[in-house]
Amino acid sequence: MARRLWLSVALFAVVAQSGCILNPVKPEKKNVPELFLQGFLVAGGPIDNIILRKTIPPEMYYDFMPLGRYAVSGAEVVITIDGAQHPLAELHPGTYGDPNLIARSGATCEIEVRFPANHEFTGRRLYGATTIPEKPRASVTIHPYYVQRGAHLNGNSLTGLVFPRELSHPDSFGTTAEKEPFRLSWPLSASAAGYMVVSTAVDTQGTGLLRQRDYEDYLDGVFRDPMKRQGKRTAGFYVLPDSSQSTVYWLLFSYQGWHDVSVVACDTGYWDYMVTVLNDAGTGADSDAGVKLNVQGGLGIFCSYAADTTRVYIQPEWLPSTR
């Protein structure tokens, strides 16, 4: 089964930017900005975060202007759910939604964005569509090695897993052939284009980092960078569409304490987008085909997913901060 470890989940947002990604040169003439639409619908969650932006002009690349400056206000945004139209209000500059409107598995959703007269983007139309996947019903199988050592499942909470000290600090404790802690399995669904397994730490105190090298980075101030901190908090990998089970690896856990481990069923748009992101789209290499987007009339992604989550508590056998 082909898998690729997902060590940096932007859970998922795109920053659209005109010009080259690698070391762009200031152009002499200004480009016309492009529209960018982002909408991730989560089964069971409110539709309250449809984001509309215009791209950053290349000549502004070095000016580090806040993204909020490029929010597009005053748009007419309508989402149609199974044939019923719902106008979306502008909740914040460039962010549209209706907190009382809930995304429902199996529903087909279409979004359309237009602009009134005298608007910067008058005459433009953006369109996207998605069918929200059914929620995967995941089951957990704990490795017998850990069952014998006290790991157990109570409802959707898994406790008693002890992170091996050899994985915390191999230089001190040597290597280990510890078994992977548990497996997840789920029934395949025709509504899902593919699946991901994602682990997100709930408590991210630096003193709770499980590995010596990560703790040293914390002491050196590396995780003051929010992107690096998020990359350490969330990890995962994608699972091929015809696979209905996956091992959960120790590599997915970086902190002591609770983690939310989710099986995520993706629609076609989200699956295509995430696979290109996880395969390093945007590197600027000759073979780089770019991130796969699905919004018509502009740039962006309008897609959906459904997730089933197990809460897992990781107890360290040895913690670097206690040395």
Side-chain angles (χ1 to χ4, degrees):
M1 184 188 305
R3 295 187 180 94
R4 182 181 178 86
L5 285 178
W6 181 17
L7 298 179
S8 180
V9 179
L11 261 254
F12 321 89
V14 174
V15 176
Q17 186 167 292
S18 303
C20 297
I21 292 177
L22 300 178
N23 197 24
V25 177
K26 280 192 174 183
E28 295 181 0
K29 296 182 180 180
K30 292 184 178 181
N31 287 3
V32 176
E34 182 55 272
L35 283 167
F36 176 81
L37 175 69
Q38 175 184 293
F40 294 99
L41 305 186
V42 183
I47 302 175
D48 62 356
N49 196 33
I50 305 299
I51 297 173
L52 190 59
R53 299 283 189 267
K54 56 184 177 181
T55 52
I56 301 172
E59 66 271 14
M60 302 296 290
Y61 182 87
Y62 295 101
D63 295 336
F64 301 101
M65 299 303 293
L67 287 177
R69 174 166 179 167
Y70 299 100
V72 178
S73 293
E76 298 167 351
V77 183
V78 176
I79 190 167
T80 302
I81 303 176
D82 290 337
Q85 292 189 342
H86 304 271
L88 300 182
E90 187 167 3
L91 305 176
H92 310 285
T95 300
Y96 300 80
D98 180 350
N100 297 315
L101 198 59
I102 305 300
R104 175 175 47 83
S105 288
T108 296
C109 302
E110 302 171 88
I111 195 161
E112 184 177 36
V113 180
R114 294 183 182 272
F115 300 90
N118 301 319
H119 194 281
E120 177 183 4
F121 294 103
T122 298
R124 294 288 299 276
R125 173 182 179 268
L126 302 181
Y127 173 83
T130 179
T131 298
I132 303 173
E134 298 294 331
K135 181 179 179 179
R137 300 294 178 180
S139 59
V140 177
T141 302
I142 309 170
H143 195 287
Y145 177 88
Y146 296 104
V147 173
Q148 296 171 5
R149 286 157 178 76
H152 65 279
L153 186 68
N154 183 12
N156 69 337
S157 296
L158 173 56
T159 58
L161 286 177
V162 177
F163 189 82
R165 64 179 186 173
E166 291 86 354
L167 296 180
S168 294
H169 198 194
D171 292 344
S172 294
F173 302 112
T175 58
T176 179
E178 289 283 1
K179 312 299 185 295
E180 301 301 346
F182 61 96
R183 294 183 66 84
L184 292 169
S185 57
W186 57 89
L188 292 176
S189 171
S191 66
Y195 299 89
M196 295 187 296
V197 175
V198 181
S199 172
T200 303
V202 176
D203 184 2
T204 56
Q205 294 293 323
T207 53
L209 283 162
L210 295 170
R211 295 173 178 83
Q212 177 67 26
R213 289 182 180 178
D214 289 340
Y215 182 62
E216 290 172 356
D217 286 344
Y218 163 73
L219 293 178
D220 290 340
V222 171
F223 297 129
R224 292 173 187 159
D225 182 329
M227 292 297 293
K228 292 183 179 179
R229 191 164 62 248
Q230 178 64 23
K232 187 58 61 178
R233 176 176 181 254
T234 304
F237 51 86
Y238 62 75
V239 183
L240 293 182
D242 59 351
S243 300
S244 60
Q245 61 178 348
S246 177
T247 299
V248 175
Y249 302 93
W250 281 122
L251 189 59
L252 297 186
F253 304 107
S254 295
Y255 290 92
Q256 176 185 20
W258 290 105
H259 294 69
D260 288 334
V261 180
S262 301
V263 176
V264 181
C266 311
D267 81 327
T268 300
Y270 191 48
W271 175 254
D272 290 344
Y273 162 71
M274 287 307 305
V275 168
T276 56
V277 168
L278 297 177
N279 281 315
D280 299 325
T283 61
D286 291 340
S287 59
D288 180 12
V291 176
K292 190 165 184 179
L293 307 176
N294 68 349
V295 169
Q296 299 176 23
L299 303 174
I301 182 77
F302 181 70
C303 57
S304 59
Y305 62 91
D308 192 20
T309 300
T310 301
R311 182 151 281 200
V312 179
Y313 192 88
I314 302 299
Q315 178 64 43
E317 184 178 7
W318 177 87
L319 200 61
S321 61
T322 62
R323 292 187 72 184

